[in-house]
Amino acid sequence: MLRASIACSLLASATSFLLPSSPFPATTSSLPSSCTSFSSSTPLLPGRHVRSGAAKSAIPSLTPRARASSSLLAVRMQADGLCRVVVTGMGINSCLGNTLDDVTSSLKEAKSGIRFRQDFADNGLKSQVCGWPELTEEEIKERIPRQTLRFMGPHAKYAYLALQDAINDSGLKESEYQGNPDFASILGQGGASVQDMMETVEAVRSQAPRWANKVGPYRVTRSMGSSVSAILATAFKLQGPSFSISSACSTGAHCIGVGMEQVWAEGALMVGRLEEEVGDEIQLGKAKLAACGAGEADGWEFTAMFDCMGALSSKYNDSPKTASRAFDKTRDGFVIAGGGGVLILEEYEHAKARGAKIYAELTGYGANSDGYDMVAPSGFGGEECMKIALGMANKGPHGERKVDYINCHGTSTPVGDAMELEAIKRAFVKDPSRGYSPFVGSTKSISGHSLGAAGVHEAIYSILMMQNDFLAESAHIKDICDESEGLNILRKRYDGKVNRVMSNSFGFGGTNACLVFDRV
């Protein structure tokens, strides 16, 4: 039985201001045998890291301000056990391929999927390179029913195909997910369908005859912030908890982490108190399965916004395959990409009972915020996020395994790459509790950056590498950056067994997510 203080990583994004102290009275409940028990004296996570010196002044203090009323907010958490969550299905479409086998081959050969993009050039963008799935409109129409397709923007189309493939890969029958209140769908997007918004505005402003017909009744669903989860839950008849997350480039990873929470803490009870008990009890463990992921469009309309802020690579339009070059001194910005990806997460005993294949176990999830700058990472938020995820994984069934590989956020931006490498050094090499460097690489050097879908794409890349006993080369490094000193950057492919991988996703506004997967 666990009596934990508030430092529970499944609520890590919301608990930096909470106070530890007296546990809630214990209760008992029946749990699957896959649920891991902890003693009341075992903390779920290590204590928060206290910074000193220059590091302390670099970012705002995480210490909460006292409330004017001197009221204390205390949150207690109690759980009878923590259920194991495994990955039993994966679906993807990206510039590295639209099948798991094709993606594995691209990773193994470090084959870049980035190409020249004519419509970017035609519309005057400085960056004219992009990574996008090789899918024609005809192929999409063949796979998505017309009555569903009419509600969709490009990002939802990519996500639909990924979910369809993930379900097929999982071996789930229609009767096991359709109408099943235990099947959650946590599916997000980084941006909406800007194309539909533009066409709507142009039609309204034109005041041409029958302009309202040019807008039509479907633009809202194509462009709303919850398009992906709303459309897919409807199309696949999913009746468990369903909502979208939109957290910039951390979206896909946050969807996976929150999906884990839906399955993970069966029996967990959290009660918030402010002087007196207020609000409702929040019961976790709401699902046995969850479809988690995201879709992202790759049109010039959305890309132009990043181009105008100077975030994209523009020096290598003539050599698109090597334009994304994380950790190289000549990197000049990220290469935008699109596509979709979905994982099927499942409670371990449920998966075993139906004879499902298990790709990996999701053992760690960290989420937090820099609280520092809208577009520049602090590095310290990412460091703490990795520690949160690793602390959670270390308390799981595989214990304190070393992390063999970190798939960095690694977007090929001058500032972002440097900050992340320094964060990895502090979290692993310089931390006396670890004192080692995992292999470090960025798959974005061959895939580009698919924004909201990047977290799920890279989770899939990491799992495929672990499954197939290799780690992809971090490609296109000619002159490695100074910040890499002391780290095991993958200058060439590693072939060998891999037991634990970590995948980082960091987004604008300082939103961070980190996932840890273990070989089962």
Side-chain angles (χ1 to χ4, degrees), residues 384-407:
E384 292 297 323
C385 196
M386 287 185 274
K387 290 180 177 180
I388 292 167
L390 189 56
M392 179 179 173
N394 285 345
K395 299 301 180 185
H398 306 289
E400 296 191 12
R401 274 181 176 173
K402 283 188 174 183
V403 175
D404 294 310
Y405 171 66
I406 301 175
N407 195 350

Side-chain angles (χ1 to χ4, degrees), residues 85-141:
V85 179
V86 293
V87 179
T88 58
M90 301 192 293
I92 188 171
N93 45 80
S94 79
C95 66
L96 299 189
N98 301 328
T99 69
L100 299 178
D101 286 344
D102 285 348
V103 170
T104 301
S105 177
S106 293
L107 290 166
K108 197 159 193 176
E109 302 305 320
K111 179 183 175 184
S112 175
I114 297 167
R115 296 170 278 166
F116 176 75
R117 186 71 175 250
Q118 187 62 52
D119 59 340
F120 288 11
D122 292 343
N123 285 285
L125 275 65
K126 296 187 294 293
S127 179
Q128 298 166 11
V129 291
C130 180
W132 71 96
E134 290 192 19
L135 285 165
T136 65
E137 280 299 317
E138 290 71 25
E139 289 174 308
I140 291 171
K141 288 177 181 178

Side-chain angles (χ1 to χ4, degrees), residues 293-433:
E296 196 71 88
D298 47 63
W300 67 266
E301 300 91 343
F302 194 30
T303 304
M305 300 179 193
F306 291 96
D307 196 63
C308 290
M309 73 185 300
L312 302 183
S313 172
S314 59
K315 292 181 179 178
Y316 306 107
N317 293 332
D318 294 332
S319 52
K321 289 191 179 300
T322 61
S324 185
R325 47 185 70 191
F327 317 134
D328 189 88
K329 285 183 179 179
T330 62
R331 65 193 186 276
D332 73 322
F334 75 82
V335 173
I336 207 159
V342 173
L343 299 184
I344 303 298
L345 303 183
E346 192 165 350
E347 193 274 318
Y348 179 56
E349 293 295 342
H350 187 276
K352 285 204 306 180
R354 71 178 185 88
K357 68 175 177 291
I358 295 174
Y359 283 104
E361 183 169 358
L362 177 52
T363 54
Y365 167 52
N368 70 353
S369 177
D370 286 0
Y372 172 71
D373 189 270
M374 270 304 300
V375 294
S378 73
F380 293 107
E383 174 192 353
E384 292 297 323
C385 196
M386 287 185 274
K387 290 180 177 180
I388 292 167
L390 189 56
M392 179 179 173
N394 285 345
K395 299 301 180 185
H398 306 289
E400 296 191 12
R401 274 181 176 173
K402 283 188 174 183
V403 175
D404 294 310
Y405 171 66
I406 301 175
N407 195 350
C408 292
H409 185 59
T411 58
S412 189
T413 60
V415 174
D417 287 7
M419 289 295 190
E420 186 173 10
L421 293 180
E422 292 294 348
I424 291 169
K425 282 186 200 176
R426 291 192 300 271
F428 285 89
V429 180
K430 296 178 181 179
D431 190 307
S433 67

